[in-house]
Amino acid sequence: MKVYNHSYIYMPAFSMKTGTEPSLRVYYTLSDVGANQTVLFANPNFLRSIGKFWKSRGIHAKRLSTGLFLVSAALGLCEEVAIYGFWPFSVNMHEQPISHHYYDNVLPFSGFHAMPEEFLQLWYLHKIGALRMQLDPCEDTSLPPTS
């Protein structure tokens, strides 16, 4: 955890029942060892409000992705927001296979998230300048930037 310095760790304590116990365990473990990171839990009212907001804009899913919740929070807190990793398809723009999550290769449950709808809303925010969306890998400078 030292490599993360004084960063924030978002835990889904109240976004779903199965997230509460492991999230609290992370909080108490980091507290017990004196870690420099701050564990954050979203307010349940915020989670409900964000869900209603995006549903009113056409995102119909059992649950929004954690990424969309965090982008929503960042848009309310930060002057500039840059995002990466919100590509909703199984292959990238160069037809290479990619995983759904950055940490595993498990496909999403059908109907759980509405990734294409989330992507379209985020792409719209990118096009109007509300955030910057990076689609190509950040370290690959041989490809032209996405516009």
Side-chain angles (χ1 to χ4, degrees):
M1 294 301 294
K2 289 180 182 180
V3 298
Y4 296 109
N5 297 317
H6 295 284
S7 58
Y8 297 103
I9 300 173
Y10 173 78
M11 297 299 300
F14 309 113
S15 62
M16 54 189 164
K17 288 181 183 180
T18 57
T20 304
E21 193 276 326
S23 296
L24 292 174
R25 193 170 352 122
V26 167
Y27 172 80
Y28 289 119
T29 300
L30 291 176
S31 179
D32 289 347
V33 300
N36 290 327
Q37 294 77 29
T38 301
V39 176
L40 301 175
F41 304 128
N43 181 307
N45 292 329
F46 169 75
L47 297 172
R48 274 190 295 280
S49 295
I50 292 298
K52 288 178 184 176
F53 172 83
W54 287 116
K55 186 173 185 176
S56 74
R57 280 157 180 77
I59 298 177
H60 301 286
K62 288 184 181 178
R63 193 167 70 85
L64 298 176
S65 71
T66 302
L68 188 58
F69 277 117
L70 292 175
V71 169
S72 300
L75 288 168
L77 296 170
C78 305
E79 290 182 24
E80 294 181 25
V81 175
I83 62 174
Y84 173 77
F86 285 88
W87 189 249
F89 310 110
S90 59
V91 295
N92 66 17
M93 292 183 295
H94 308 287
E95 299 297 319
Q96 298 167 324
I98 55 174
S99 64
H100 179 67
H101 293 113
Y102 65 90
Y103 56 84
D104 67 21
N105 212 8
V106 177
L107 294 174
F109 296 114
S110 178
F112 194 67
H113 294 312
M115 302 311 282
E117 288 99 355
E118 289 188 12
F119 175 79
L120 288 174
Q121 291 294 326
L122 293 170
W123 184 249
Y124 172 74
L125 293 174
H126 169 78
K127 292 308 251 180
I128 65 169
L131 57 77
R132 186 170 57 84
M133 179 184 274
Q134 177 72 32
L135 296 179
D136 287 318
C138 297
E139 64 275 358
D140 189 356
T141 58
S142 65
L143 297 174
T146 307
S147 55

